[in-house]
Amino acid sequence: MSDSAGNWCLIESDPGVFTELIKEFGVTGAQVEELWSLDAEQFKNLHPIHGLIFLFKWVQDDEPAGFVVEEGDSRQWNIFFAKQVINNACATQAILSILLNCSHPDVQLGSTLTDFKEFSSSFDPYNKGLTLSNASQIRSVHNSFARQTLFELDSKTPNKLDGLKDGPIDLGSIGPNQDWLDVVRPIIEKRMQKYSEGEIHFNLMAIVSDRQMIYSREIERLMNLPDTEIEMEARQSEITRLRMLIEDDITKKNRYRVENIRRKHNYLPLIVELLKMLAQKGQLMPLYEKAKQRAAEREATKTS
């Protein structure tokens, strides 16, 4: 699919994909973690959390829990909101919405996103969306994570977007001593329960500060504590635990890198050559017939 045509490819909703996507945008100090529950303890372990990405199959009668914020209020509250005008880029747009509204010292946007934000900040939401749709560098990074497929299907009638609101959704006020996650958690939980009943698949992920940076910072703090503030043995035990967490995160990100290399690799030439070799040896049709028979047996088992 050609970038010059302004096309955005489908990419997999995966924390490894999104973590490397953020890195290739030029952002530092952030990564994406998948959430398996809405337990307060899990949120606590990931602090600071800069935003949540809740991906689900949109249904026609689905309405947000809050109300749409008018453009004037968005500007007054200094919210960067780009209306979605792109197919296949829901997750990327959600990630950008979080990053472009993030003012945490851990997160540095880098030149690509900073330039985009500065260039389009005075535009209305629709024109911000159009500007994003034509941001070739951002689009190229997004499309680099598209899975290689045997066939490219061109849909002449794109699916209706679920981001057609004219502004961000206000889900409620946050008290002076309240964590924003405490406000949004019950809203997401209610939606998850609703979609579970309808067998709609969804993903919940969080953009958090780089874990290695967080753990290293805590190790440094512990090492600089006076001996009287914490027992030496307990301190060393916590430092050891944090170093193990750093190693785990390094291993995880190395796995992400390998998985993403495989996602981007085009296996089609290898598959074609294997099929040719099987055909030359007279093995292709017998394998095909055997696979067809197994498929028929599995289908018969399901219906019996």
Side-chain angles (χ1 to χ4, degrees), residues 56-91:
F56 56 91
K57 183 179 179 181
W58 180 73
V59 290
Q60 184 70 39
D61 61 349
D62 190 33
E63 289 298 328
F67 62 89
V68 177
V69 176
E70 299 292 336
E71 183 186 349
D73 290 332
S74 291
R75 290 181 183 274
Q76 179 183 342
W77 297 342
N78 198 28
I79 298 172
F80 187 95
F81 178 80
K83 186 173 180 179
Q84 187 177 341
V85 298
I86 309 165
N87 284 300
N88 301 335
C90 305

Side-chain angles (χ1 to χ4, degrees), residues 232-269:
M232 289 291 292
E233 186 177 347
R235 182 195 306 182
Q236 191 56 49
S237 176
E238 178 62 8
I239 289 173
T240 300
R241 187 185 75 86
L242 290 167
R243 284 176 174 161
M244 289 177 63
L245 289 174
I246 289 173
E247 289 300 317
D248 288 344
D249 195 71
I250 290 171
T251 300
K252 179 174 67 177
K253 286 176 180 172
N254 285 337
R255 187 180 74 248
Y256 287 167
R257 183 179 57 82
V258 172
E259 289 173 352
N260 286 327
I261 289 171
R262 289 172 177 165
R263 283 186 178 96
K264 296 178 180 182
H265 185 71
N266 184 5
Y267 289 95
L268 181 58

Side-chain angles (χ1 to χ4, degrees), residues 84-302:
Q84 187 177 341
V85 298
I86 309 165
N87 284 300
N88 301 335
C90 305
T92 295
Q93 184 140 354
I95 289 168
L96 291 174
S97 294
I98 293 170
L99 293 173
L100 295 174
N101 285 292
C102 182
S103 58
H104 197 280
D106 286 350
V107 181
Q108 303 299 317
L109 290 182
S111 59
T112 298
L113 296 190
T114 297
D115 291 347
F116 169 77
K117 184 177 181 179
E118 290 177 352
F119 175 75
S120 60
S121 60
S122 62
F123 299 168
D124 60 51
Y126 180 74
N127 281 302
K128 280 189 178 81
L130 284 180
T131 304
L132 176 59
S133 72
N134 290 288
S136 58
Q137 194 168 357
I138 295 174
R139 184 176 65 240
S140 293
V141 171
H142 169 95
N143 284 349
S144 72
F145 287 88
R147 278 189 176 276
Q148 298 291 332
T149 57
L150 293 176
F151 304 101
E152 193 71 55
L153 300 178
D154 182 18
S155 175
K156 301 299 182 182
T157 55
N159 295 328
K160 187 174 181 180
L161 298 170
D162 64 345
L164 295 176
K165 304 301 179 189
D166 292 322
I169 306 300
D170 188 339
L171 298 176
S173 60
I174 302 172
N177 298 316
Q178 191 176 20
D179 189 337
W180 70 273
L181 291 165
D182 294 333
V183 176
V184 77
R185 188 187 299 117
I187 296 170
I188 295 178
E189 191 169 25
K190 184 177 178 181
R191 281 201 163 201
M192 289 173 72
Q193 290 172 350
K194 173 184 175 182
Y195 298 141
S196 295
E197 292 170 1
E199 296 183 355
I200 294 176
H201 297 291
F202 49 79
N203 294 85
L204 179 62
M205 282 168 272
I207 294 184
V208 302
S209 290
D210 182 89
R211 305 324 292 166
Q212 293 174 47
M213 178 178 64
I214 294 294
Y215 303 144
S216 297
R217 188 185 297 159
E218 180 62 11
I219 288 172
E220 185 177 357
R221 186 189 72 82
L222 290 171
M223 292 181 73
N224 290 327
L225 284 176
D227 291 345
T228 55
E229 287 195 27
I230 187 171
E231 294 181 13
M232 289 291 292
E233 186 177 347
R235 182 195 306 182
Q236 191 56 49
S237 176
E238 178 62 8
I239 289 173
T240 300
R241 187 185 75 86
L242 290 167
R243 284 176 174 161
M244 289 177 63
L245 289 174
I246 289 173
E247 289 300 317
D248 288 344
D249 195 71
I250 290 171
T251 300
K252 179 174 67 177
K253 286 176 180 172
N254 285 337
R255 187 180 74 248
Y256 287 167
R257 183 179 57 82
V258 172
E259 289 173 352
N260 286 327
I261 289 171
R262 289 172 177 165
R263 283 186 178 96
K264 296 178 180 182
H265 185 71
N266 184 5
Y267 289 95
L268 181 58
L270 172 63
I271 293 170
V272 170
E273 288 303 313
L274 287 173
L275 292 174
K276 285 181 179 178
M277 290 172 62
L278 288 170
Q280 289 171 358
K281 294 181 179 180
Q283 296 177 0
L284 182 58
M285 287 309 296
L287 286 171
Y288 167 74
E289 293 298 334
K290 191 174 181 179
K292 189 166 72 170
Q293 181 181 351
R294 286 181 177 174
E297 289 171 354
R298 283 197 299 270
E299 190 64 30
T301 303
K302 289 179 184 179

Side-chain angles (χ1 to χ4, degrees), residues 25-43:
F25 282 151
V27 177
T28 58
Q31 67 187 64
V32 178
E33 293 288 327
E34 190 158 19
L35 297 173
W36 300 101
S37 74
L38 291 169
D39 293 340
E41 189 65 24
Q42 185 176 28
F43 283 92

